[in-house]
């Protein structure tokens, strides 16, 4: 059994260019994961890499986007925070509990999904609240549908 601290930096990210704007997404998990296996040295890197693999974001045009992944982490949104000039941060907690090739990974985490909308021709809209950000960007984000984030390799965690 080995305990790992998830990095308090983005573990998965993507950019979608939809013509008039670029939408940047970055997912950060902070917390701890315990990996248990009969062959600890062989299992740990591969199991840790699965934590950030295939994060799928849908419902970006809403105030509670859905985050899913092949390892079936559970995400529970607790709120949103607007960060000037153009970023909405969705935050909450979650749980990791999956098995892979005879190893298990369990743990709890806090998460932050940062979504930044940047126009190609000009400055971001000047808004002062979460509600205004959703009003201004909701339709644009809804047109994306869903996006898969590219995960960082976590197998090198100490």
């Amino acid at each position: 059994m080995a305990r790992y601290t998830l990095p308090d930096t983005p573990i998965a990210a993507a950019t979608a260019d939809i013509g008039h704007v670029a939408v940047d997404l970055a997912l950060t998990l902070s917390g701890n994961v315990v990996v248990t296996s009969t062959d600890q040295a062989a299992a740990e890197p591969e199991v840790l890499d699965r934590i950030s693999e295939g994060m799928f974001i849908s419902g970006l045009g809403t105030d509670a986007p859905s985050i899913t992944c092949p390892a079936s982490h559970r995400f529970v949104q607790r709120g949103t925070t607007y960060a000037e000039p153009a970023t909405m941060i969705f935050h909450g907690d979650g749980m990791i509990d999956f098995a892979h090739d005879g190893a298990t990974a369990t743990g709890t985490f806090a998460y932050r999904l940062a979504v930044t909308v940047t126009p190609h021709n000009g400055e971001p809209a000047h808004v002062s609240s979460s509600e205004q950000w959703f009003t201004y960007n909701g339709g644009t984000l809804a047109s994306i549908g869903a996006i898969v984030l590219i995960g960082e390799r976590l197998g090198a965690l100490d």
Side-chain angles (χ1 to χ4, degrees), residues 19-100:
H20 64 291
V21 298
V23 179
D24 295 296
L25 296 95
L27 179 66
T28 301
L29 305 183
S30 52
N32 296 295
V33 177
V34 174
V35 176
T36 306
S37 176
T38 55
D39 185 1
Q40 202 71 25
E44 289 171 14
E46 193 171 323
V47 170
L48 289 172
D49 287 346
R50 296 253 318 149
I51 291 171
S52 62
E53 183 179 86
M55 296 288 183
F56 184 82
I57 313 296
S58 60
L60 279 173
T62 70
D63 62 354
S66 172
I67 306 171
T68 58
C69 67
S72 300
H73 308 333
R74 289 179 289 287
F75 292 85
V76 177
Q77 184 174 312
R78 301 290 180 210
T80 59
T81 303
Y82 171 67
E84 292 186 13
T87 302
M88 182 59 61
I89 301 169
F90 303 90
H91 50 87
D93 3 82
M95 181 182 296
I96 293 171
D97 186 3
F98 69 93
H100 179 75

Side-chain angles (χ1 to χ4, degrees), residues 3 7 12 14-16 21 26 39 45 56 58 60 72 81 83 96 101 111-112 116 123 127 135 142 144 155 158:
R3 183 173 183 232
T15 297
V21 298
D39 185 1
F56 184 82
S58 60
L60 279 173
S72 300
T81 303
I96 293 171
D101 287 343
Y111 80 87
R112 292 183 311 278
T116 303
E123 295 295 315
V127 300
T135 298
I144 293 173
D158 294 340

